[in-house]
């Protein structure tokens, strides 16, 4: 019985370590864009502070995806601290998806300040 408790304790400790290390590797910001707005996404990514972990996602990839593919993409985006929707197309494609923190931008000069402020709020 003691051997089983030790094994269980080891699995619990490993699970806690894995969860902590995964959350430390989490993406801070996902920039979600349509293919025609890739340039805006790249400009925003360059302008954001380098200490943030920023990833991009082309929402046009979901045009061919089935329901489960769309749900997987939404789950992936939901792990970020902040989801930035660039212009209107991502909002149309993702529909009513719920994210912990989301901001919509149009590619103007004040977007970076708005993104950083929203990230500090969340």
């Amino acid at each position: 019985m003691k051997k089983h408790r030790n094994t269980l304790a080891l699995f619990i400790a490993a699970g806690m370590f894995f969860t902590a290390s995964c959350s430390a590797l989490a993406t801070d910001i996902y920039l979600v864009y349509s293919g025609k707005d890739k340039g805006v996404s790249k400009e925003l990514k360059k302008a954001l502070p380098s200490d943030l972990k920023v990833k991009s996602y082309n929402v046009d990839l979901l045009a061919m995806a089935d329901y489960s593919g769309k749900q997987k993409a939404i789950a992936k985006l939901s792990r970020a601290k902040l989801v930035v929707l660039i212009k209107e197309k991502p909002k149309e494609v993702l529909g009513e998806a719920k994210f912990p923190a989301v901001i919509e931008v149009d590619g103007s000069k004040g977007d970076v300040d708005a993104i950083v402020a929203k990230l500090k709020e969340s």
Side-chain angles (χ1 to χ4, degrees), residues 13 23 27 31 33 37 41 44 50-51 54 56 59 65-66 72 74 95 100 108 110 114 118-119:
S23 63
T27 303
L31 301 174
Y33 64 95
D37 299 319
S41 173
L44 281 173
S50 60
D51 61 329
V54 181
S56 302
V59 79
D66 60 355
K72 286 178 187 177
I74 290 171
S108 63
K118 183 74 174 182
L119 188 61

Side-chain angles (χ1 to χ4, degrees), residues 8 11 19 26 31 33 40 42 49 53 57 59 68 85 87-88 94-96 102 106 115:
L8 181 61
F11 279 120
T19 303
L31 301 174
Y33 64 95
V40 176
K42 284 184 175 184
K53 187 171 181 182
Y57 187 81
V59 79
S68 66
L85 304 177
K87 300 195 179 182
E88 292 295 318
L94 293 173
E96 298 297 318
V102 65
D106 60 0
I115 292 169

Side-chain angles (χ1 to χ4, degrees), residues 15-85:
M16 290 171 58
F17 175 76
F18 180 73
T19 303
S21 62
C22 284
S23 63
L25 297 175
T27 303
D28 292 323
I29 300 173
Y30 255 109
L31 301 174
V32 183
Y33 64 95
S34 174
K36 65 181 182 177
D37 299 319
K38 186 174 185 172
V40 176
S41 173
K42 284 184 175 184
E43 287 178 30
L44 281 173
K45 191 171 185 176
K46 280 191 230 176
L48 288 167
S50 60
D51 61 329
L52 295 175
K53 187 171 181 182
V54 181
K55 289 189 176 183
S56 302
Y57 187 81
N58 185 346
V59 79
D60 291 341
L61 298 174
L62 294 179
M64 297 180 287
D66 60 355
Y67 178 78
S68 66
K70 189 173 181 178
Q71 295 307 310
K72 286 178 187 177
I74 290 171
K76 179 183 192 179
L77 296 172
S78 295
R79 289 186 213 114
K81 294 177 185 173
L82 177 65
V83 176
V84 178
L85 304 177

